[in-house]
Amino acid sequence: MAASSDQTKEACIYKEWMNLQEQELSELNQALTLTAAGCTTTTGAADELSHLIEKIMAHFVEYTQIRSCMAQADVSPYFAPTWCTSLERSVLWIGGCRPSSFIRLIYALSGLEIESHLSEFLRGARIGNLGGLSGDQIFMVDELQGRTIGEERKLSTRMASLQEDLLDHPLASIAVKSEGNLDAALDNHGRAMAEMLAEADQLRLSSLKELIGILTPRQAVDFMAAGKKLRLCMQDWGKKRDLDHGRN
């Protein structure tokens, strides 16, 4: 009964989070529309966009805190969540997206804007928002990417060691010789995995915060809207693929 209750709660938390993504995407798009229409002054628009960004970041912090608390009791589902589609699970890295994917999205969006306005760009015009990153911004984003990938590799190496250590000892001994305390071994492994999840979430959060700080408020809202749109599309595409292959 307790296990079923945990699974239901975890699934509900995730559903609420995805519903929030839809709501926030709507707010971001509305803010961009009002800004483009000139409904507010330049200063007022920047302030409103900054407030929206802060609110969304606060929601992310709250979500990671809830996940961390839940993982203390039952961490395994966060590494293979049944509430996600098969497609979503296939791209998970320690319970979520790779922090460096935020930066790759910036580069992808910048390239798309430049490509769609190539003639203006070649004439030296600043195009769009993310396509108009300054030299200093590009340098800072590139430096952040290098540091983030380095931290990802450290966590990935530790994750591999945790998995190897569990299988080498004590599980092998327990399975072959029936020696040792299985529950204690799995509980110790679970605590270590929960710590890994918390550290990965912290890297995701710190990388996103630093990236947002590099961008202007308008650029940050463009980026956040694209990121949430991609996240929601991944869920929709995953549902369709699961249905196509007979997975409920």
Side-chain angles (χ1 to χ4, degrees):
M1 183 66 70
S4 176
S5 178
D6 284 344
Q7 185 177 29
T8 300
K9 187 173 182 180
E10 290 157 354
C12 286
I13 289 171
Y14 178 73
K15 183 177 180 180
E16 290 173 0
W17 173 247
M18 293 307 294
N19 288 340
L20 182 60
Q21 301 314 292
E22 292 185 359
Q23 177 186 325
E24 289 177 344
L25 176 59
S26 177
E27 293 179 18
L28 288 163
N29 285 333
Q30 183 179 16
L32 288 171
T33 299
L34 292 175
T35 301
C39 296
T40 56
T41 64
T42 302
T43 301
D47 289 343
E48 289 180 13
L49 295 180
S50 295
H51 177 71
L52 178 58
I53 292 165
E54 290 173 2
K55 182 177 74 169
I56 290 173
M57 290 301 297
H59 290 162
F60 188 21
V61 172
E62 182 182 6
Y63 178 64
T64 60
Q65 290 172 340
I66 293 172
R67 270 170 42 115
S68 181
C69 289
M70 292 290 293
Q72 294 298 319
D74 184 26
V75 68
S76 296
Y78 290 98
F79 288 83
T82 56
W83 50 83
C84 289
T85 65
S86 299
L87 176 62
E88 291 171 288
R89 288 195 295 272
S90 72
V91 296
L92 286 181
W93 175 82
I94 313 184
C97 67
R98 285 184 175 272
S100 58
S101 67
F102 300 141
I103 300 156
R104 285 193 291 272
L105 179 59
I106 283 287
Y107 286 142
L109 294 172
S110 298
L112 287 172
E113 286 201 359
I114 291 174
E115 184 179 350
S116 64
H117 299 81
L118 185 58
S119 60
E120 297 97 319
F121 179 71
L122 292 175
R123 291 197 300 269
R126 291 179 63 85
I127 46 95
N129 291 293
L130 292 172
L133 292 174
S134 69
D136 286 344
Q137 284 178 309
I138 292 172
F139 176 83
M140 287 187 286
V141 169
D142 186 61
E143 195 272 337
L144 173 61
Q145 182 182 39
R147 284 189 285 108
T148 302
I149 290 175
E151 292 301 317
E152 284 179 358
R153 287 173 177 166
K154 290 178 184 177
L155 286 175
S156 293
T157 298
R158 286 175 53 200
M159 185 71 192
S161 295
L162 275 177
Q163 293 170 332
E164 292 166 0
D165 290 346
L166 179 68
L167 293 175
D168 292 344
H169 181 79
L171 291 193
S173 177
I174 294 173
V176 174
K177 299 181 181 179
S178 299
E179 295 177 354
N181 188 322
L182 177 60
D183 287 337
L186 293 179
D187 286 345
N188 289 335
H189 178 68
R191 283 190 288 271
M193 295 283 280
E195 290 176 8
M196 286 291 300
L197 178 64
E199 289 187 44
D201 276 347
Q202 183 55 45
L203 182 58
R204 281 184 272 267
L205 182 59
S206 63
S207 299
L208 182 57
K209 280 184 175 179
E210 187 168 348
L211 182 57
I212 293 299
I214 293 171
L215 304 175
T216 66
R218 174 63 187 270
Q219 289 170 336
V221 169
D222 272 338
F223 161 71
M224 284 184 149
K228 291 182 184 300
K229 178 65 174 178
L230 176 59
R231 181 67 191 84
L232 291 165
C233 283
M234 285 290 290
Q235 184 183 56
D236 288 342
W237 297 334
K239 287 179 179 178
K240 183 180 183 304
R241 295 284 290 184
D242 281 347
L243 287 173
D244 289 345
H245 291 279
R247 294 187 292 266
N248 293 328

